[in-house]
Amino acid sequence: MNSITLSSIFKSVDSPKSIKIMKAERITHSFNGGQLVIDQFDKGKCAFIRLTDVGNVEFLIDIPYTFQEIESGGYLGTPANKTQPVLWFPVLPTTRVINTDKAILNEALAHICGVSWGKNNLSLRIRNSIISVSDGIVWQFDGVLTDNEVSALLPIETQGYFLQGSHDCINKPAELYRHLIHGAVYDLRYSWPHNKKCFSENEAHALYTIFSGLEKQTGKTIYRYFQLQLVLSLIERQAEDGGWYHGMWTDSTECHYRLHTSGVHLLMDEFQRTSCPQVKLSLEKAVSFLSKTTDTLNCGTWFLHDSLELSEHAMNSGPFKWIENKTLGKSISNMLVLNTHLDTSIAINRYGRITGDVQYQNLVVSALNSTRTVLGLKTADWLYKPLFWAIGLTMLPTEKASKLPFPIRAVKRFAWQTLIKILPDIKSRFPRLVMPNGYIDRELSLRTWAIDYQNINLMDLARHAYAFPNSFDETILDKAMEFTQTSGLIKRYRELSPDKQYSVGFWSEALYYRCLSKPDIKYRQWLAEAMLECHDLNFGLSPSLLGTNGEALPFDQQVSMPLVDNPELIMANLAVGKNKEFLLVNTSANPITISWASTPDPKLEWYDSNRTHLSKNSLVVNNRDWIIGTYQG
């Protein structure tokens, strides 16, 4: 039986597999029966241990420790000898079946077949099978870090945050390691149609933004370490051509450019903060790769959604049915997916702005031309107006739909059973994405229907309007947001299957960007309602609401929020530099008097949802209501 000791794991090892960035290093080395990935920081180390041997493997903690379960998740080990480091096991060992592309096919808690205690040691024996590997994680901290870092949490650390990749929620620090597995970031979902967990830069970027916010709010070093782990993971997994590959839809490891673009944003966030040369090198490769993911329309450049769109043969290898057409001179295999095109345009433009590299400037200008043209398509109003009046009936919540007159309910049923099914053929003949009622379709040529993408489109359009003011007709965005807010669509999402209810998380992200762009109080009202909806559905707050999204705000413009000690209260940070604005929402059924965990800026003026000025002496937030604090610096 092989044996691994704790002291040997963290022993210094020379390894050719090393990645260094500012303030962190990753070392990877193999041993007989497994592999170690060790992330090193100034006051701590994290070891990912993968066992590949068949049979029993012993893990020996060869120094006396006392272990207890902690609020952050997992178990904290306090040494008998205070000169020894403190240990943190954030998750229990897990057995996984992985394929040759390192996608996860199955996972479960590892089979611990024996535990023994000695006077000065603890031994765990783990049984591994021929088809699986066993993974474990252990942190080693200098003792000074642990008093406040992982053993005790503030309400802001446990209120939950929305993950834009898996559409799940992260509620405590240890849950990072549901995603960060043996040094790489995975989606939580077993992806359709091949039922495997794949790599996800969407997940990584959301986590990075969340931990940036929690670091800003709490001052805890551990959240900075988490960010650096995510950066190391992206750099290590990057292919030689600069891309990140995923293989969600095929077994050919296709690249999903939407995910890749999230990786670009993550690296830009880190580069804006540190100007790290290694991060910049990886970023340059990633953007060069992204700049080639294009099709040429007769109105400009269009950024593709995934690598299957590069050819008809590749598209036919995927799981979707699609329609051949050459709208606006596009390639037949280009599905004209809107959200990825917008996201890529934003990312490449942002890269040029923060690095001074102007080589892609003309590409961005061309992409803006195609965006304006595609959004401006108003083909066949005579057809689409009645068509989307009827289809719009299917977006009503049951409460409203049940009160419709019988003839209208019959139209609604016909729209659901027939019109939606033939919509792809109608769009192919009369190409259009922006519909007369304010609905914006996801793409042009797939035989799919995804009303959950309305809010993803709104998020990306709001981001696009923020990055490129006046670059397209923003009444399109305003009308679409009005439709989402007033039509009943948000309530309708609640009635969809659980995997389609997530859309409200993107709705709150869209509203965050609109609040940054517009002073209108209605967007604050809508955002407060969206925050309540996310809370009620257990999706958590959108990451950007912590105020640390590097795309929206450069690092030097990000400010912390005043902290409340009331777990019922959640807050959106709408501040930009010296201009402070904080939206505070009461999720409970009772009025709450604010108890401050940190002293708010005395210059803040507070108003309730009716715009009534409030006394600072005793601030009360009414049940299921909100207040807002502002100061113009």
Side-chain angles (χ1 to χ4, degrees), residues 578-590:
K578 294 181 180 179
N579 296 324
K580 308 286 183 67
E581 184 176 359
F582 307 112
L583 182 68
L584 192 55
V585 181
N586 181 0
T587 63
S588 77
N590 301 300

Side-chain angles (χ1 to χ4, degrees), residues 389-391 393-394 406-416 419:
W389 170 79
I391 290 176
L393 297 173
T394 70
F406 175 77
I408 305 299
R409 293 205 307 272
V411 172
K412 175 180 174 289
R413 189 178 302 110
F414 177 69
W416 178 250
L419 295 181

Side-chain angles (χ1 to χ4, degrees), residues 11 79 100 122 157 206 224 289 302 306 313 329 399 416 427 450 511 522 567 597 606:
K11 187 185 298 181
T100 54
L122 167 65
E157 297 176 80
R224 180 60 183 149
F289 174 90
W302 190 266
D306 59 74
H313 174 75
E399 180 186 5
W416 178 250
K427 288 192 299 177
L511 288 165
K522 72 176 183 180
W606 293 90

Side-chain angles (χ1 to χ4, degrees), residues 216-217 466 512 515-516 544 546-550 552-562 573-582 601 603-604 629-633:
K216 175 72 72 175
Q217 292 303 130
Y466 187 71
Y512 168 76
C515 286
L516 293 190
S544 292
L546 283 163
T548 49
N549 179 345
L553 299 173
F555 183 73
D556 60 4
Q557 290 288 300
Q558 298 171 8
V559 299
S560 60
M561 298 181 285
N573 186 347
L574 305 178
V576 180
K578 294 181 180 179
N579 296 324
K580 308 286 183 67
E581 184 176 359
F582 307 112
D601 188 331
K603 297 176 183 177
L604 285 170
T630 62
Y631 167 67
Q632 297 297 311

